[in-house]
């Protein structure tokens, strides 16, 4: 190894190597200082899990315990909204700093910039500026994290919480615009309920965006609902508290089971095997279809764990009451982000999307779909892709989703009525559409998991783009009425005053 090196060269080589090691150590220390606490490093080594994931889970468990304390000792009947806002915000910032280090300052900076925009630009145009600035700031952070700073030394994604904060920022901006700049007759029933009639204070705004219950994993909630929670609901019955405790226990049980399933079977069915040359060459197509379904099925429990735990944290704090069901039992699903059984047994693309990442779907509908005058479906999928991040696989997924959504809508409008004549026919239709929906979902989200263009296109080529081609042909061959005509028919089918009565009834249930 030393042949050809004189003493001077050898000394220079050793010096350079030492300097490189020192520089790498300094870089590692800098990254560690910026990207969260190392306090739980021993647990990370014992469990063989990345430190950022350990930090996240421990912080969420601490948030769960803190939520119980928050409800018991800072109940609205015992303290003022000001104190509840301050404590919720400071705890949220602390958890964010523990998980992401100084990157958590982006959460405060993004919120501060958009609050200044709301104050300076006025209610007429603030929603447009906030959407552009918040989404632009998020995209900038996503691009720099993926393509500039992420060298595989740290895997935590601080832009995850920023995605939820972006939803909250834009939601508040649009709701203030609805409440203070638009006339009452211009709003639909949902917009009337969500409209904000006064400008939030700086403390209220930061508390809504950065409270400890939702800073790490959301979910997004409506501003009016959050303020009602902080200030205290008009009345709280004992049966609500009993049901709340039951719901928290049930959701924690779901979290435990989801985590167990994910840790035990996720590595058994790696998604990457779907594009393995030997696997494609040696297995018949039906085996590839079954494996695709199983491999994508095993990726979902981690989302079930994260979102259900986040929902349980909010419920433990007393947030999430959503009125009563038909049997008079209290509901605690106001900000629930998924319905697992509806997802796994969905019989249409729409049903799957309506029950997956529910609060994000609500946000996309309220901010984009209901307001976009042209091609709202395409615009909504494009906004969703931009919001998710900078990986090309996200855009392939959502572009595919547009085609499949149009085809599924065409089939539902043109084919489904022929199977509603008897229970047997409907059962056959449901079985067929369940299988088709699950395969279509798996086919669609493979690029979302693979992330890169090359592997994603390799997968689609192995399937000969068959679902793309089939969906395009179905969308062309089967006519569907334009959205504005469908809405007009639905409105004419409603009896006068029915929609208003139902809405008022729901609001009365929430207030009792």
């Amino acid at each position: 190894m030393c042949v050809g090196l004189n003493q001077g060269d050898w000394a220079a080589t050793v010096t350079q190597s030492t300097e490189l090691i020192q520089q790498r150590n300094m870089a590692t220390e800098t990254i560690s200082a910026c990207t969260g606490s190392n306090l739980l490093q021993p647990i990370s080594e014992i469990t063989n899990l990345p430190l950022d994931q350990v930090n996240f889970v421990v912080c969420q468990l601490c948030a769960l315990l803190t939520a119980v304390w928050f409800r018991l000792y800072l109940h609205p009947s015992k303290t003022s909204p000001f104190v509840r806002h301050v404590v919720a915000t400071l705890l949220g910032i602390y958890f964010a700093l523990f998980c992401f280090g100084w990157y958590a300052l982006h959460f405060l900076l993004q919120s501060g910039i958009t609050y200044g925009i709301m104050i300076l630009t006025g209610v007429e145009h603030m929603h447009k500026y906030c959407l552009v600035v918040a989404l632009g700031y998020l995209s900038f952070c996503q691009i720099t994290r993926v393509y500039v700073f992420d060298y595989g030394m740290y895997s935590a994604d601080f832009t995850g919480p920023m995605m939820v904060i972006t939803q909250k920022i834009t939601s508040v901006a649009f709701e203030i615009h609805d409440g203070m700049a638009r006339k009452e007759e211009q709003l639909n029933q949902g917009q009337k309920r969500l409209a904000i009639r006064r400008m939030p204070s700086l403390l209220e705004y930061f508390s809504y965006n950065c409270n400890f219950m939702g800073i790490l994993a959301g979910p997004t909630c409506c501003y009016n609902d959050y303020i009602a929670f902080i200030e205290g609901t008009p009345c709280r019955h004992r049966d609500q508290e009993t049901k709340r405790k039951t719901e928290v226990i049930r959701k924690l049980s779901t979290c435990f089971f989801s985590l167990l399933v994910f840790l035990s079977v996720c590595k058994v069915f790696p998604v990457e095997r779907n594009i393995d040359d030997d696997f494609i060459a040696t297995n018949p197509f039906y085996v590839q279809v079954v494996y695709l379904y199983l491999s994508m099925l095993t990726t979902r429990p981690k989302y079930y764990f994260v979102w259900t735990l986040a929902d349980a944290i909010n419920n433990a704090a007393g947030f999430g009451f959503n009125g009563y069901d038909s049997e008079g039992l209290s509901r605690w699903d106001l900000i629930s982000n998924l319905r697992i059984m509806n997802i796994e047994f969905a019989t249409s693309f729409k049903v799957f999307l309506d029950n997956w990442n529910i609060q994000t779907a609500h946000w996309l509908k309220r901010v984009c779909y209901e307001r976009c005058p042209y091609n709202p479906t395409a615009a909504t999928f494009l906004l969703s892709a931009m919001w998710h991040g900078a990986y090309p696989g996200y855009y392939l997924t959502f572009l595919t989703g547009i085609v499949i959504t149009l085809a599924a809508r065409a089939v539902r409008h043109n084919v489904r009525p022929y199977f509603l004549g008897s229970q047997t026919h409907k059962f056959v239709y449901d079985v067929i559409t369940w299988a088709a929906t699950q395969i279509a979902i798996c086919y669609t989200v493979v690029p979302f998991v693979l992330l890169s263009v090359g592997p994603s296109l390799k997968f689609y080529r192995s399937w000969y783009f068959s679902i793309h081609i089939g969906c395009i042909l179905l969308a062309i061959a089967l006519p569907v009425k334009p959205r504005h005509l469908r809405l007009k028919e639905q409105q004419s089918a409603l009896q006068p005053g029915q929609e208003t009565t139902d809405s008022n009834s729901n609001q009365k249930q929430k207030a009792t």
Side-chain angles (χ1 to χ4, degrees), residues 171-172 174-176 178-179 187-197 221-225 334 362 366 370-371 507 510:
S171 295
V172 166
F174 276 89
E175 289 161 9
I176 292 175
D178 290 340
L187 307 178
N188 60 35
Q189 290 300 319
Q191 291 168 348
K192 289 178 183 178
R193 184 180 73 85
L194 300 176
I196 300 173
R197 308 295 178 179
C221 60
C222 299
Y223 176 82
N224 286 339
D225 291 331
L334 179 65
H362 289 338
R366 294 164 182 164
E370 291 182 342
R371 302 175 191 267
Q507 293 305 306
K510 287 187 181 183

Side-chain angles (χ1 to χ4, degrees), residues 154-173:
Y154 188 75
S155 59
D157 184 2
F158 70 95
T159 60
M162 289 185 67
M163 294 167 68
V164 179
I165 293 174
T166 298
Q167 289 184 358
K168 292 182 176 182
I169 288 170
T170 52
S171 295
V172 166

Side-chain angles (χ1 to χ4, degrees), residues 28-76:
T28 303
E29 292 174 359
T30 302
I31 290 175
S32 299
C34 293
T35 54
S37 172
N38 290 323
L39 182 65
L40 302 176
Q41 183 66 43
I43 298 178
S44 173
E45 294 173 356
I46 293 173
T47 59
N48 197 28
L49 292 173
L51 177 61
D52 60 301
Q53 295 181 12
V54 174
N55 284 347
F56 172 82
V57 173
V58 170
C59 276
Q60 285 294 76
L61 294 177
C62 290
L64 179 65
L65 298 176
T66 305
V68 176
W69 171 83
F70 190 80
R71 180 181 58 82
L72 292 176
Y73 295 98
L74 293 181
H75 193 273

Side-chain angles (χ1 to χ4, degrees), residues 322-334:
N322 194 26
Y324 297 90
D325 61 19
S326 58
E327 298 179 356
L329 299 176
S330 58
R331 297 168 51 192
W332 286 88
D333 60 353
L334 179 65

